[in-house]
Amino acid sequence: MTENTQQSPTPAGAEPSNSAHASLPTQYVPAEVEEKLYERWVERGYFEADAGSDKPPYTIVIPPPNVTGSLHLGHAFEHTLIDALTRRKRMQGHETLWQPGMDHAGIATQNVVERELAKEGKSRHDLGREAFVERVWRWKSESGGQISGQMRRLGDGVAWSRERFTMDEGLSRAVQTIFKRLYDDELIYRAERIINWCPRCLTAISDIEVEYSDEDGELVSIRYGEGEASIVVATTRAETMLGDTAVAVHPDDERYAHLVGTEIELPLTGRRIPVVADEHVDPEFGTGAVKVTPAHDPNDFEIGRRHDLPSLTVMDEHAVITAHGPFQGLDRLEARSAIVAALRAEGRVVAEKRPYVHSVGHCSRCKTTIEPRLSMQWWVKVGPLAQAAGDAVRDGRVSIHPQEMEKRYFDWVDNLHDWCISRQLWWGHRIPVWYGPNGETVCVGPDEEPPSGEGWHQESDVLDTWFSSGLWPFSTLGWPERTESLEKFYPNSVLVTGYDILFFWVARMMMFGLYAMDGTPPFHQIVLHGMVRDQFGKKMSKSFGNAVNPLDWMDTYGSDALRFTLARGANPGTDVPIGEDWVQASRNFANKIWNATRFALMNGATVEGGLPAPEELSATDRWILSRLNTVVAEVDAYYDDYQFAKLSDLLYHFAWDEVFDWYVELSKTTFAEGGEAARRSARVLGEVLDTTLRLLHPVMPFVTETLWTTLTGGESVVIADWPADSGFRDAAAEREIATLRQVITEVRRFRGDQGLQPGQRVPARLTLEGALAAHEAAIRSLSRLQPEGEGFQPTASLPVAGAKVELDLSGAIDFAAERKRLAKDLAAAEKELAQTTAKLGNEGFLAKAPDHVVEKIRGRKAQAETDIARITAQLDALPQG
């Protein structure tokens, strides 16, 4: 918008607005418009991205949801933020790609299909690997991916023609390519190490797939050895003692110095084990001695490596005891009780503490307690890759928002352990390694023939799901081929994801992107958001009974209401509380926009022709245009800083408070008078609504599309221009209307304080100074003040900001009753002031009370002072007698 003229950004080929466009139903019913609008957007290709375009690129990938999943509030939240960013950039003229797709979700998907087989009385082994994988693909085509339909419900503006799946042919080629390159560069190797093992899923699982919770267990203190050659150790997993190969103490612990280097008896086993000195042991914790079980504990494994200790595996893959003796064949929990009983019988149990609350890891898929287990697995040597990932942030090639999250990122990448990438599953990318009859190992690339002949076989393990999703920013664009899309849309402009997967997904994409793309990071910015919680800040969970299906809220209140609520709670890096009342309030906002636009259309609001020159406009018109430009500039600044909550709140209050509650109301008198002033205001109102709807569109796409196309006659707000700040400001008009609003607000407040009904008209005499004189009609209309008339007797006088308002309240209120009520309120306020003043004057109280308590009392004191002044003024304004 310019100071003088502004043409509406009607797309080429679209007709200008006229009365045919200016008809809207009396009510906005989201269910009647959302699906049709979305399908029209998709059919017209608005969300597709042209790699051959000369527009500047803007790329965001969707964090690929699991193919087994459905839309939960966390998805809805994240997708709302991404969609808002991409819709705005599309309107700003960028070639915008929001890349959709889904993850094959190895363990989760295999578990789903195995449960289906179990209903038939079968297991995957009954089918065999090839038939089982075919069965999973069939399930995927029939039942998987329901989330795609739910994304449409939410309004996700993704490029559906580019949808990818981490197991499709192109992405599988990318996986095989990078595995081969890493292997040839000696960054992938095979070794026996401790991993997280799920005895139910029968596979190694990543750290992200382990969920920890506090549980009641028992801490048993056991005496190893005899007499002076004895040590007491404590454990919550007594069954693992069968695999102990040492006891460790701190090198400086004088209590055990005489035992270091000797051997002591390991109860129940008939074995003797050494006492070793290791700095890992905390001499201040417990007895200062720990049992060392290298095959069943990651810390013990490292102690074992340092001291060349043997590793004895005493449990099989089902967590059943395999050690010889009376406990063989027992489940680990059965063995735990049996071993403690046997130790107790031998007098070896020194102490038992139960319940003993401690953190226990569980498989996130099946909730089985995980077991640390020594296993031969494939690993990525992350050292050089993690170094590059850290350097990309340190040297500014990649920025993390909010910046305080950088420390967490560095704490992770600077201390990464090698990554276990093999999984003992059948569904997933099978590791492209073949073993020969004479111990040969051959890694095969995508264009190479695997070795064949007697004795050759492929590795049975598949790759961790995070391995393929770590390639997502470039594999989805056709890598390893140098495609037109890869050249256009890599690196991504920004990554929007939850801080909870900063380590597990973001770090892996950084490592792989820098490695595969010759040092070019996968994105310029990483924007981290928090988790969605209930209105009380509690984690949402089915077990807590507070989980919400977002589809239910969309059905009830509309998708825009849900989206706006989520965006309005999105402060960078912090969790987002949400309650149904808030979604309902956002629905009310959508209705307010609808009704205000209907009013505007009925009063001739238009975008046709240029704006009148500022000198031709009223102060009210110039005020709202000045405010509009300020809001455009502030919204842009908030978007660029990813301040979704602030920009949503700004738009809410500008639209509702300033445009609908004030400008529209102030314009009613102008429209009622008609003539040239009404025509000019109708053009200004059209401009303000046009711009406001475009500003709101990225967060509330459906209602704004319906209203904008009706108002402007344009093809779609999706492809309309993003509003620009013309620089027009009118500080004088803003001051004038601020004063006008103050007068009307004070009169309304006085009326409310006197108990007058909202529609009750009261005779009044107005004495207005300066520019306020031009607004008498508006003041009377919005304050429900009628002309003074004959017999006017002022009973109350309000001096307000350049105006004097005298009202005749005779016959409108009972002055005696009102004086009595106000006197009671004044006494209560004076009592509150006395109490708070006394507390704040008590030095002993101030010295002991927490800061927040003192601040609360100061606030109460200030409020009491305000109340006293207000009530006193009201009493003074009432007639005597």
Side-chain angles (χ1 to χ4, degrees):
M1 182 172 59
T2 63
E3 288 195 35
N4 297 309
T5 60
Q6 164 79 15
Q7 292 290 335
S8 174
T10 305
E15 297 180 7
S17 66
N18 54 45
S19 58
H21 299 118
S23 59
L24 285 171
T26 56
Q27 270 190 313
Y28 176 54
V29 183
E32 294 180 359
V33 301
E34 289 180 351
E35 183 178 357
K36 289 184 289 187
L37 284 181
Y38 190 84
E39 290 309 315
R40 186 169 74 197
W41 293 335
V42 172
E43 289 168 6
R44 293 182 178 182
Y46 294 156
F47 304 141
E48 296 304 322
D50 179 8
S53 164
D54 58 1
K55 296 179 182 178
Y58 187 80
T59 316
I60 297 181
V61 295
I62 192 172
N66 288 351
V67 69
T68 58
S70 60
L71 191 74
H72 55 65
L73 272 179
H75 287 124
F77 172 54
E78 186 169 78
H79 290 201
T80 294
L81 304 188
I82 299 175
D83 197 40
L85 292 174
T86 53
R87 284 179 182 270
R88 172 177 176 254
K89 284 296 182 180
R90 190 178 292 112
M91 295 171 74
Q92 287 182 319
H94 287 70
E95 194 62 44
T96 302
L97 170 60
W98 183 8
Q99 174 67 54
M102 286 179 288
D103 193 284
H104 65 279
I107 294 177
T109 305
Q110 180 156 319
N111 281 348
V112 168
V113 179
E114 285 197 88
R115 284 196 294 269
E116 293 289 319
L117 285 174
K119 295 175 184 176
E120 304 169 15
K122 298 178 182 178
S123 74
R124 59 180 163 128
H125 300 286
D126 294 323
L127 271 66
R129 183 169 191 143
E130 186 175 340
F132 176 77
V133 171
E134 288 179 3
R135 177 74 174 256
V136 180
W137 276 108
R138 189 163 70 247
W139 173 88
K140 189 260 180 185
S141 63
E142 295 171 356
S143 307
Q146 61 174 311
I147 202 167
S148 295
Q150 295 166 340
M151 287 167 59
R152 293 170 182 265
R153 283 288 314 278
L154 190 64
D156 286 3
V158 299
W160 287 111
S161 69
R162 292 173 172 267
E163 186 174 12
R164 303 303 299 268
F165 180 55
T166 50
M167 286 281 286
D168 68 28
E169 183 177 354
L171 269 65
S172 295
R173 178 179 177 83
V175 168
Q176 194 173 354
T177 299
I178 201 162
F179 187 98
K180 170 70 172 174
R181 290 187 186 178
L182 289 164
Y183 181 87
D184 289 347
D185 286 344
E186 297 183 349
L187 293 173
I188 282 182
Y189 64 94
R190 190 168 183 248
E192 195 173 42
R193 299 276 180 83
I194 291 281
I195 45 85
N196 301 311
W197 181 264
C198 176
R200 155 62 184 81
C201 298
L202 299 180
T203 181
I205 60 176
S206 66
D207 292 338
I208 187 63
E209 293 163 322
V210 179
E211 294 179 346
Y212 289 91
S213 60
D214 288 342
E215 291 187 359
D216 288 343
E218 61 176 349
L219 182 67
V220 182
S221 297
I222 308 166
R223 178 171 49 82
Y224 287 15
E226 296 291 345
E228 291 188 2
S230 67
I231 293 181
V232 174
V233 299
T235 181
T236 58
R237 301 167 66 220
E239 69 278 9
T240 63
M241 68 163 292
L242 300 176
D244 286 359
T245 57
V247 170
V249 298
H250 193 273
D252 300 331
D253 195 333
E254 295 181 358
R255 292 172 295 175
Y256 305 114
H258 66 290
L259 293 176
V260 173
T262 67
E263 291 186 342
I264 59 174
E265 180 188 352
L266 178 66
L268 307 181
T269 65
R271 289 192 289 115
R272 296 184 67 80
I273 58 176
V275 177
V276 299
D278 194 280
E279 292 189 351
H280 169 75
V281 180
D282 180 0
E284 303 297 325
F285 184 77
T287 64
V290 297
K291 57 191 287 298
V292 182
T293 320
H296 294 278
D297 183 276
N299 293 321
D300 294 2
F301 176 77
E302 296 300 327
I303 294 175
R305 291 179 68 180
R306 287 194 288 272
H307 297 276
D308 199 23
L309 300 173
S311 296
L312 301 181
T313 299
V314 297
M315 276 180 265
D316 66 12
E317 59 186 7
H318 298 278
V320 171
I321 301 298
T322 57
H324 295 297
F327 312 108
Q328 186 174 4
L330 294 179
D331 172 79
R332 55 183 165 168
L333 300 182
E334 296 173 331
R336 183 176 301 170
S337 299
I339 288 171
V340 170
L343 290 167
R344 195 183 297 117
E346 289 192 4
R348 295 280 186 175
V349 175
V350 175
E352 296 179 70
K353 182 178 181 181
R354 66 170 69 88
Y356 178 75
V357 179
H358 62 131
S359 183
V360 178
H362 300 82
C363 173
S364 63
R365 304 302 177 188
C366 68
K367 310 308 177 186
T368 302
T369 300
I370 62 107
E371 190 67 41
R373 186 169 189 260
L374 186 62
S375 179
M376 182 67 75
Q377 302 285 345
W378 284 91
W379 304 81
V380 171
K381 186 185 296 182
V382 299
L385 303 174
Q387 176 70 42
D391 289 346
V393 175
R394 287 189 175 93
D395 63 25
R397 282 175 290 160
V398 179
S399 62
I400 295 178
H401 189 91
Q403 192 173 1
E404 54 264 29
M405 288 286 182
E406 281 188 3
K407 182 179 184 303
R408 296 180 64 180
Y409 177 79
F410 292 134
D411 286 346
W412 180 256
V413 297
D414 293 345
N415 297 283
L416 267 181
H417 298 295
D418 285 0
W419 170 21
C420 176
I421 56 172
S422 46
R423 299 291 180 265
Q424 290 64 56
L425 304 171
W426 287 355
W427 172 245
H429 295 102
R430 195 167 176 180
I431 292 176
V433 169
W434 271 256
Y435 303 113
N438 299 312
E440 302 97 330
T441 300
V442 176
C443 180
V444 177
D447 298 317
E448 300 172 351
E449 287 294 324
S452 59
E454 186 176 349
W456 283 93
H457 64 281
Q458 186 178 357
E459 168 65 67
S460 60
D461 289 354
V462 301
L463 288 165
D464 177 12
T465 298
W466 296 102
F467 190 95
S468 51
S469 61
L471 314 181
W472 193 247
F474 52 94
S475 63
T476 52
L477 298 173
W479 188 90
E481 313 307 325
R482 300 299 298 193
T483 64
E484 189 178 29
S485 289
L486 188 67
E487 295 292 336
K488 177 75 173 180
F489 296 113
Y490 186 92
N492 288 194
S493 306
V494 63
L495 173 75
V496 179
T497 192
Y499 62 67
D500 57 323
I501 55 173
L502 172 64
F503 315 131
F504 307 108
W505 186 45
V506 179
R508 281 150 173 65
M509 286 190 290
M510 286 285 283
M511 290 191 296
F512 281 165
L514 289 159
Y515 174 80
M517 298 300 293
D518 302 319
T520 302
F523 17 74
H524 296 301
Q525 291 184 302
I526 300 168
V527 175
L528 299 171
H529 60 72
M531 304 296 102
V532 178
R533 296 181 178 272
D534 71 12
Q535 64 197 81
F536 306 108
K538 190 175 182 181
K539 179 182 177 181
M540 284 193 172
S541 166
K542 290 181 180 178
S543 60
F544 294 155
N546 63 351
V548 174
N549 182 346
L551 294 176
D552 293 340
W553 281 352
M554 287 192 279
D555 288 343
T556 305
Y557 303 110
S559 299
D560 287 330
L562 176 63
R563 289 170 60 116
F564 190 75
T565 305
L566 291 166
R568 202 174 178 192
N571 290 297
T574 61
D575 290 344
V576 182
I578 185 173
E580 186 168 4
D581 289 350
W582 305 344
V583 185
Q584 185 174 357
S586 295
R587 188 272 312 273
N588 295 343
F589 180 48
N591 289 341
K592 184 77 171 180
I593 301 169
W594 183 271
N595 293 332
T597 306
R598 284 190 73 248
F599 167 82
L601 291 170
M602 289 188 292
N603 283 276
T606 181
V607 296
E608 293 179 8
L611 280 172
E615 59 269 18
E616 298 177 356
L617 296 174
S618 68
T620 306
D621 290 336
R622 285 181 279 113
W623 159 69
I624 199 64
L625 291 175
S626 181
R627 286 292 302 132
L628 180 67
N629 272 292
T630 299
V631 168
V632 169
E634 290 177 352
V635 167
D636 276 332
Y638 284 143
Y639 261 116
D640 292 341
D641 198 34
Y642 304 103
Q643 297 280 359
F644 297 98
K646 289 182 178 179
L647 72 89
S648 299
D649 204 52
L650 171 64
L651 286 171
Y652 175 89
H653 287 293
F654 174 70
W656 193 309
D657 300 345
E658 298 187 72
V659 179
F660 305 148
D661 277 359
W662 281 107
Y663 180 70
V664 168
E665 292 300 314
L666 289 170
S667 298
K668 284 181 178 179
T669 55
T670 305
F671 292 138
E673 293 170 359
E676 189 61 24
R679 187 194 66 76
R680 288 193 292 263
S681 288
R683 178 62 187 89
V684 170
L685 180 54
E687 182 75 15
V688 172
L689 284 174
D690 169 20
T691 302
T692 302
L693 291 170
R694 283 184 280 147
L695 290 172
L696 283 166
H697 173 72
V699 179
M700 305 180 77
F702 294 107
V703 67
T704 53
E705 172 79 342
T706 305
L707 295 177
W708 188 87
T709 53
T710 304
L711 171 70
T712 68
E715 180 183 340
S716 172
V717 69
V718 176
I719 55 172
D721 290 340
W722 181 251
D725 172 16
S726 71
F728 173 74
R729 303 289 191 277
D730 192 324
E734 291 195 35
R735 287 193 299 270
E736 181 175 331
I737 301 306
T739 303
L740 172 63
R741 290 169 64 180
Q742 184 180 356
V743 171
I744 295 171
T745 299
E746 286 300 319
V747 174
R748 286 173 169 176
R749 181 180 292 118
F750 178 79
R751 289 173 56 98
D753 290 340
Q754 304 308 316
L756 295 174
Q757 295 299 313
Q760 186 177 359
R761 292 193 170 274
V762 177
R765 177 186 297 144
L766 303 183
T767 306
L768 305 175
E769 298 177 2
L772 277 179
H775 299 287
E776 179 172 350
I779 294 172
R780 288 190 179 278
S781 174
L782 297 184
S783 303
R784 298 293 189 268
L785 302 178
Q786 66 189 38
E788 50 198 270
E790 291 186 14
F792 177 79
Q793 292 292 329
T795 59
S797 178
L798 293 177
V800 183
K804 183 178 180 182
V805 182
E806 298 171 279
L807 302 98
D808 183 354
L809 302 177
S810 57
I813 60 173
D814 182 337
F815 292 122
E818 184 62 16
R819 183 172 290 281
K820 186 177 180 181
R821 182 185 71 81
L822 289 172
K824 183 179 178 181
D825 290 347
L826 180 60
E830 289 172 338
K831 181 180 179 181
E832 173 75 351
L833 178 60
Q835 290 176 340
T836 53
T837 301
K839 277 195 174 183
L840 293 173
N842 184 333
E843 293 185 3
F845 169 77
L846 294 176
K848 295 179 181 178
D851 289 345
H852 72 276
V853 172
V854 175
E855 284 304 312
K856 186 175 181 180
I857 293 173
R858 285 184 178 137
R860 285 169 51 194
K861 179 176 182 288
Q863 184 61 52
E865 291 170 338
T866 301
D867 291 343
I868 290 170
R870 175 178 55 81
I871 297 168
T872 301
Q874 292 170 15
L875 283 167
D876 290 344
L878 286 176
Q880 298 298 317

